[in-house]
Amino acid sequence: MSTSQEIVFPRHVVVIGTGAVGLMSAIHALDEGLQVSLLDFNEAGSEEASSYGNAGWLSSHSVIPPVEPGMWKKVPGYLKDSLGPLSIRWRYLPRLTPWLLRNLASARRDRIRTTARALRTLVADARNLHLEVARRAGVAHLIDTSGVLHIYRSRRHFDNDAFGWGVRRELGITWQELEGESLRRREPDLDPAFGFAVHVDEAGHCKNPGAYMQALQAYALARGATRISGRASGFRVEQGRLKAVLTDQGEIACDAAVIAAGARSKALAAQAGDRVQLESERGYHAVIRGQQLQATARTPMMVSEFKVIATQMETGLRIAGQVEFASFEAAPDWRRGEIMRDIALKLFPGLPRTLAPEDVQFWLGRRPSTPDGMPCIGHARASHDIIHAYGHGHIGLGCSARTGRIVAQLLTGQAPEIDLSPFSAQRF
Ligand SMILES: Cc1cc2nc3c(=O)[nH]c(=O)nc-3n(C[C@H](O)[C@H](O)[C@H](O)COP(=O)(O)OP(=O)(O)OC[C@H]3O[C@@H](n4cnc5c(N)ncnc54)[C@H](O)[C@@H]3O)c2cc1C
């Protein structure tokens, strides 16, 4: 394996994937004076990328991995209820089993605490890191800094989540409680059956993730990055040094590469010498179109009971959530999109009861998820010149800004700003 002393500048870096992680990596690599090529077979901001259709949260407090103690008891239910908030398609179970076993093993309280501590180092200050880049890209208006809400029926329901909130408190995260009238004043359109909420001030959100991705790419191109349309399939490494990225369009000569291909990164990671456990954890959204809806979420809100996030985007009210394990290519189950739409109608009784098909848009996305809820960031086994940057699961938009900074630090031989050992791709 080569050492950081051997790095020769300027380096030509191929960033594989133009989702949030790839684009942030590219921008920070440009900041370091590197020559950058962006490689993707989809356009930046395309619906194919998870970065397009997420709930937009830039939530530095999202440190609790999506597992809960005793979760293994619920697996039969996940298999039986194909439309529940978490479901596993039977046919996919054999392939999912190794990932699932590790996922269930990570659902212990001590492990959740350890994961939360590591994730906090990565996601801390997410909103401000995004704001800084968004300003430079001329789209600061897309980043809202007014916090987010977690909504419960009552304080008793909030208390059921006491473990997660306790871990957050240990990490220095603070929030304000809103009950009854104070919640009504803040969220007048929300069904009054939801009587308790916490407001996390340090969080923010992006009001149009697809447009944000397009703007980040335009900014990178304006600063000299080039765009290559193609699909990476592997690497040419000679004596530990990267010589080229292999693509369906031929080889791209380079001396560094970043694997930021989201849920499709597993095969590329294997080509770079690392067998990682990475699943496409499918999620859905429904957008009720319209900037001026009769009823909406004034603040982005996570509703624990339904395991969804409701965010008023530039384009309409987006309800995002659901976890579905099926093969990457399996056809979308749009009934799940309809469930998202129906949850919106439950949450906001002022929305019209009948919505024309053209008023609602559905989307399926694929979160790049590891079983322990932590991404892979760091050098690859086959060559120091290849950097892993994927696996951010439910919090990839938020984490992308700091991940991009870290990728640039690794590319230029600087010490990364946080401890990367929990995020090693060699941990599996
Ligand atoms: C319903 C839902 C809600 C979510 N809500 C939030 C939220 O509120 N906040 C948050 O932080 N996160 C959220 N997420 C998660 C977040 O969207 C993802 O973690 C994040 O977008 C991942 O970004 P990425 O750049 O790694 O991957 P992607 O955005 O998926 O981008 C990967 C890119 O790589 C390209 N690619 C793939 N293979 C190759 C190849 N071989 N060669 C070249 N290019 C390739 C793809 O075309 C794609 O453009 C949500 C996800 C879902 C599904």
Side-chain angles (χ1 to χ4, degrees):
M1 201 177 271
S2 57
T3 66
S4 55
Q5 280 80 16
E6 292 172 270
I7 291 171
V8 183
F9 297 99
R11 306 184 90 201
H12 174 212
V13 182
V14 175
V15 176
I16 304 169
T18 55
V21 175
L23 290 167
M24 283 293 182
S25 300
I27 288 168
H28 288 289
L30 289 162
D31 289 345
E32 294 291 339
L34 304 184
Q35 184 196 335
V36 174
S37 296
L38 293 166
L39 173 68
D40 203 317
F41 53 94
N42 286 307
E43 281 303 315
S46 127
E47 292 190 16
E48 293 300 315
S50 188
S51 300
Y52 163 84
N54 52 66
W57 277 35
L58 306 171
S59 43
S60 38
H61 68 295
S62 290
V63 294
I64 308 296
V67 289
E68 46 184 291
M71 201 172 139
W72 58 270
K73 291 182 215 147
K74 297 186 178 171
V75 172
Y78 301 155
L79 286 162
K80 252 190 255 156
D81 183 3
S82 64
L83 292 176
L86 193 161
S87 81
I88 302 171
R89 292 205 195 161
W90 267 107
R91 227 172 307 143
Y92 196 60
L93 186 60
R95 264 189 63 192
L96 183 67
T97 299
W99 188 99
L100 189 62
L101 289 176
R102 194 166 171 132
N103 182 243
L104 296 172
S106 72
R108 281 187 0 216
R109 285 182 180 228
D110 55 334
R111 298 233 177 127
I112 292 174
R113 256 200 191 88
T114 308
T115 302
R117 265 199 299 274
L119 286 179
R120 177 68 170 166
T121 63
L122 188 62
V123 76
D125 219 19
R127 162 181 97 179
N128 297 333
L129 294 179
H130 276 275
L131 194 54
E132 187 267 323
V133 178
R135 269 198 194 114
R136 290 202 266 146
V139 286
H141 64 281
L142 292 181
I143 307 298
D144 182 289
T145 58
S146 54
V148 298
L149 287 172
H150 290 252
I151 303 283
Y152 296 89
R153 279 196 185 262
S154 67
R155 181 181 288 278
R156 186 171 57 78
H157 290 88
F158 168 71
D159 289 343
N160 291 341
D161 273 357
F163 172 68
W165 288 104
V167 173
R168 289 189 180 100
R169 184 179 289 112
E170 286 162 20
L171 292 169
I173 294 163
T174 58
W175 57 87
Q176 296 82 43
E177 296 181 356
L178 299 169
E179 205 161 3
E181 252 325 287
S182 57
L183 176 57
R184 292 282 76 71
R185 272 197 301 277
R186 190 175 184 116
E187 292 299 332
D189 301 332
L190 180 67
D191 179 353
F194 294 90
F196 188 86
V198 296
H199 178 252
V200 184
D201 185 50
E202 66 173 53
H205 79 279
C206 174
K207 294 192 260 182
N208 190 337
Y212 187 34
M213 294 306 112
Q214 287 169 357
L216 293 182
Q217 174 166 283
Y219 175 58
L221 296 179
R223 293 184 60 209
T226 49
R227 160 110 203 165
I228 302 171
S229 184
R231 186 188 288 261
S233 55
F235 306 95
R236 182 155 62 80
V237 175
E238 291 172 10
Q239 288 157 357
R241 301 312 306 253
L242 179 68
K243 299 295 174 189
V245 171
L246 313 181
T247 82
D248 57 357
Q249 308 297 311
E251 286 193 7
I252 305 171
C254 61
D255 35 23
V258 181
I259 305 175
R264 284 190 162 100
S265 299
K266 185 175 172 173
L268 289 168
Q271 292 294 319
D274 291 301
R275 297 211 160 275
V276 301
Q277 288 188 307
L278 186 75
E279 275 299 323
S280 99
E281 192 184 331
R282 296 151 59 106
Y284 289 79
H285 84 209
V287 173
I288 299 175
R289 293 177 202 259
Q291 287 166 317
Q292 305 290 327
L293 293 171
Q294 299 87 327
T296 192
R298 314 279 162 114
T299 320
M301 52 177 78
M302 171 173 281
V303 187
S304 295
E305 179 171 325
F306 300 122
K307 299 202 184 334
V308 299
I309 293 179
T311 309
Q312 176 64 44
M313 296 281 179
E314 278 188 338
T315 49
L317 175 62
R318 180 176 291 182
I319 310 287
Q322 304 257 314
V323 169
E324 179 187 61
F325 288 102
S327 72
F328 194 97
E329 293 77 18
D333 184 345
W334 293 124
R335 289 175 303 171
R336 290 182 164 276
E338 289 163 9
I339 291 173
M340 299 283 95
R341 176 201 59 201
D342 295 346
I343 289 174
L345 298 180
K346 269 190 205 142
L347 291 175
F348 304 104
L351 285 172
R353 295 295 94 186
T354 47
L355 290 162
E358 60 272 18
D359 294 337
V360 188
Q361 179 198 36
F362 299 127
W363 173 79
L364 160 73
R366 298 169 177 91
R367 305 175 186 92
S369 295
T370 61
D372 58 12
M374 287 187 287
C376 297
I377 308 172
H379 296 285
R381 199 188 297 265
S383 170
H384 217 69
D385 303 324
I386 305 173
I387 309 293
H388 297 283
Y390 52 82
H392 297 76
H394 291 235
I395 54 172
L397 181 68
C399 287
S400 61
R402 190 181 304 282
T403 301
R405 285 159 59 114
I406 294 167
V407 166
Q409 289 155 3
L410 295 175
L411 286 168
T412 51
Q414 300 171 56
E417 62 191 47
I418 61 169
D419 173 20
L420 292 184
S421 52
F423 309 125
S424 166
Q426 288 92 40
R427 69 184 185 274
F428 298 101

